[in-house]
Amino acid sequence: MGVVVALRSRVVEGAPGTPFTRTDFRTKKVLKGTLRRRFAVQVIGGRLHDTFVAPVVQRFRRSHRYLLFL
């Protein structure tokens, strides 16, 4: 668990034809456990070419702080 800052998000092809949104984060403070200084979280959803899948979580906003339980 840690306090992190969202850096950038981009849509990638996670499975053939399936869009996933990958967001890079920078760790500001570790509250429990361990976290790398920089890491990415990938969730299903986004637009890839002509395919749109509704995201399962709200989009992470660049430069915003989040408390992540991973």
Side-chain angles (χ1 to χ4, degrees):
M1 172 173 45
V3 177
V4 299
V5 174
L7 300 175
R8 75 174 194 143
S9 294
R10 62 203 176 283
V11 177
V12 298
E13 188 171 20
T18 305
F20 283 76
T21 299
R22 181 179 296 161
T23 304
D24 296 323
F25 292 93
R26 182 176 63 245
T27 301
K28 298 299 274 184
K29 184 175 183 179
V30 176
L31 303 173
K32 185 172 182 180
T34 59
L35 281 175
R36 290 182 167 183
R37 181 171 162 82
R38 288 179 65 130
F39 64 94
V41 172
Q42 182 171 296
V43 296
I44 193 167
R47 181 172 303 283
L48 183 66
H49 311 296
D50 293 333
T51 304
F52 175 76
V53 174
V56 295
V57 296
Q58 186 177 12
R59 184 179 180 144
F60 294 107
R61 294 177 56 194
R62 187 179 190 149
S63 299
H64 282 242
R65 285 183 170 211
Y66 294 94
L67 177 61
L68 292 185
F69 295 82
L70 301 173

